[in-house]
Amino acid sequence: MSDTDTQEGAAAQRMEVDPKLLEILVCPVTKTTLRYDRERQELISDKARLAFPIRDGIPIMLTDEARSLDDE
C-alpha cells in the first residue's frame, strides 16, 4: 500500500459531519450539547465523560460504542 492510498483512506474516514446535524444532536445519556472533536472524529459529552465515534461521517450515538473519557 502506498502513502497515497493511506492518505486517501484517512481522508475518507474523516468525512465531515453535516453542521446542521451537529446543532441538533445531544448526548443520549445527559441530553446536553456535544463538542465536536474533528481530529479524533468524535462527539464529546463532557458531562457524561463519553466520546461517541463518527464513522463515515455518521455519528454513532450508542453508549455501547462510546469511549470513556475517564480512561485518559
Side-chain angles (χ1 to χ4, degrees):
M1 184 185 297
S2 71
D3 287 339
T4 303
D5 291 338
T6 303
Q7 290 170 353
E8 287 174 1
Q13 286 182 321
R14 293 180 190 254
M15 293 178 69
E16 286 298 314
V17 179
D18 183 347
K20 292 191 186 298
L21 180 61
L22 293 176
E23 289 177 15
I24 62 171
L25 283 176
V26 295
C27 173
V29 176
T30 65
K31 308 299 186 238
T32 56
T33 58
L34 299 163
R35 180 169 45 89
Y36 179 36
D37 184 337
R38 179 173 281 134
E39 183 65 30
R40 293 183 107 167
Q41 287 295 288
E42 294 177 327
L43 292 175
I44 309 295
S45 173
D46 291 313
K47 189 167 186 177
R49 304 287 302 146
L50 293 172
F52 297 91
I54 299 171
R55 296 187 190 122
D56 298 324
I58 301 169
I60 310 299
M61 303 305 296
L62 302 170
T63 54
D64 290 346
E65 296 285 326
R67 177 177 64 84
S68 173
L69 297 178
D70 293 331
D71 295 341
E72 291 182 342

